Amino acid sequence: MSNKEISTEQAILKAAKNIFIRKGMEGARMQEIADEAGINKALLHYYFRSKDKLFEAIFTDAILKIVPNIMEMMKSDLPLFTKIELFTNNYIDAFTENPFVPGFIMHELSRDPSKIVNMVKNAGINPHPFIDQVKRETESGNIIPVDPYHLIVNMLSMCIFPFVATPILINVLFNKNADSYKEFILQRRKEVPHFIINAIKKK
Amino acid sequence: MSNKEISTEQAILKAAKNIFIRKGMEGARMQEIADEAGINKALLHYYFRSKDKLFEAIFTDAILKIVPNIMEMMKSDLPLFTKIELFTNNYIDAFTENPFVPGFIMHELSRDPSKIVNMVKNAGINPHPFIDQVKRETESGNIIPVDPYHLIVNMLSMCIFPFVATPILINVLFNKNADSYKEFILQRRKEVPHFIINAIKKK
DNA sequence: GTCTATATTGTGATAGAC
DNA sequence: GTCTATCACAATATAGAC
């Protein structure tokens, strides 16, 4: 395997990622990916047998972005509020770097939900340590009683939704000003954990 | 225009809605829509000139579901906490009845964001009365200081995200048990406004 | 208005020269 | 490994009979 090979394969993956993530499996065109990579269609099939295989490579990679290595942290014995802050910051940072990933994942999973089975297996997601911790804090009266499932969904909602709804929010809420929306996203790193902790802490 | 005509057109619209909303513009097939409506492809083009025109009709209709007539309410002089409860309940109810609409809108808008411009014009969305009310309540010290833009996005996030992410949540958080997820969605009618109000009320 | 048949175009995939 | 040319088929759209 020569250097040239590697570099072509990388170019394909990079181009495919750009196109697939913006347009989805069905919206993407092999021609478009080839153009973006500066090669022709035939080479795509030389490196990856089919559109499906190429898509699979991109999709798997994107999944890894949505399931970062914070599971260890969630299992740890850090204080609840610290975990909430680390969790939200981690996701908001990851999506700020890859803003199209959330919408991509959402759409493709609703197209073919069976993919989640593999995702869950490979990622080793386990929300129960966190759920148990929330239950313990509720029972010992350290926080306002809260259903841990709703808490988790609320956390994920506030981290992910703004990236899925970016075009709506820019137009409706920010007068089509993309810059002030960027600023807004940066603020969420602080605002979201602050909001969540306010909702459950006793004062 | 005979009764038969109307009924065929309605059948087409109903079928198209089913297919488009589940599969999106690019995933949907005219053949599939024709089958669902119990007619053939040619009739689709007789009633709606092209796939694009048919899609446009469905999309516009779906938008109206995501922008219900609660704008009047938001402009009213109801107490802030009452508005928050009405707002969240209204959205959660609308999406419970049309669970595929949020994902559909999100995906299509990221495919062609320019559609939002028309949407906003026609719907007359204006968040400023609500924003001003939040500012007033903050300044008079009635609530914990909160940025109104983040508050609105948080509200929308918690109402909409669970419907966009349904397949993920069922598999990862609810052990593939769709029934307990349904139960969970019903609970959110109470949990979401409760959570939001807790986050901003002084105690 | 509704159908069958067909035209037309787009797109994933392959063959084969270099 | 990379290209050009082409195939095979799927999907939108139209023509024309009834």
Side-chain angles (χ1 to χ4, degrees), chain A residues 4 9 11 39 78 80 116 144 157-158 165 175 185:
Chain A
K4 197 73 179 298
E9 187 170 339
I39 55 166
L78 288 168
L80 181 60
I116 314 188
I144 296 175
S157 298
M158 287 186 271
N175 279 320
I185 288 290

Side-chain angles (χ1 to χ4, degrees), chain A residues 12-196:
Chain A
I12 292 175
L13 285 171
K14 189 179 169 188
K17 184 181 159 185
N18 268 336
I19 304 296
F20 274 133
I21 276 189
R22 281 178 174 74
K23 311 208 167 184
M25 166 66 180
E26 282 147 341
R29 298 285 163 257
M30 294 295 268
Q31 183 62 60
E32 215 177 349
I33 296 172
D35 292 346
E36 177 99 0
I39 55 166
N40 62 28
K41 281 189 298 176
L43 258 196
L44 294 181
H45 288 90
Y46 176 80
Y47 279 92
F48 303 83
R49 271 188 59 79
S50 66
K51 187 183 181 182
D52 276 309
K53 301 257 190 236
L54 180 53
F55 177 80
E56 199 60 30
I58 304 301
F59 185 79
T60 305
D61 192 67
I63 283 286
L64 296 179
K65 293 229 159 48
I66 219 174
V67 185
N69 279 341
I70 56 169
M71 286 307 138
E72 286 304 316
M73 183 274 284
M74 296 304 274
K75 274 186 272 188
S76 75
D77 57 357
L78 288 168
L80 181 60
F81 290 175
T82 307
K83 281 190 186 178
I84 290 173
E85 204 173 331
L86 290 173
F87 180 92
T88 53
N89 282 345
N90 186 295
Y91 271 105
I92 292 173
D93 288 347
F95 298 145
T96 302
E97 279 170 37
N98 306 278
F100 291 97
V101 167
F104 172 66
I105 303 274
M106 298 296 147
H107 180 251
E108 294 302 330
L109 284 185
S110 76
R111 208 173 57 85
D112 180 8
S114 69
K115 295 191 180 225
I116 314 188
V117 178
N118 300 325
M119 177 187 91
V120 176
K121 272 184 193 159
N122 298 339
I125 300 176
N126 180 14
H128 290 291
F130 184 77
I131 288 172
D132 291 342
Q133 185 173 14
V134 173
K135 281 182 185 164
R136 280 197 308 275
E137 297 282 342
T138 294
E139 281 159 15
S140 32
N142 294 332
I143 60 172
I144 296 175
V146 62
D147 179 310
Y149 290 93
H150 287 280
L151 177 59
I152 289 179
V153 170
N154 290 345
M155 287 166 62
L156 288 172
S157 298
M158 287 186 271
C159 292
I160 298 176
F161 175 79
F163 294 96
V164 183
T166 296
I168 297 182
L169 297 177
I170 288 180
N171 280 277
V172 177
L173 218 50
F174 293 93
N175 279 320
K176 300 169 196 179
N177 185 335
D179 285 336
S180 61
Y181 181 68
K182 257 188 194 165
E183 176 66 22
F184 172 80
I185 288 290
L186 288 178
Q187 293 167 357
R188 286 189 78 72
R189 235 181 153 271
K190 270 195 164 182
E191 292 284 340
V192 171
H194 184 249
F195 188 86
I196 296 168

Side-chain angles (χ1 to χ4, degrees), chain B residues 5 8 40 47:
Chain B
E5 272 182 54
T8 299
N40 63 26
Y47 280 92

Side-chain angles (χ1 to χ4, degrees), chain B residues 17 62-70 86-102 159-160 163 185 189:
Chain B
K17 184 182 158 184
I63 284 286
L64 295 180
K65 291 228 161 47
I66 221 174
V67 186
N69 279 342
I70 56 171
L86 289 173
F87 180 92
T88 53
N89 283 345
N90 187 296
Y91 271 106
I92 292 174
D93 288 347
F95 298 147
T96 303
E97 279 170 36
N98 307 278
F100 291 97
V101 167
C159 291
I160 298 177
F163 294 96
I185 289 290
R189 233 180 155 273

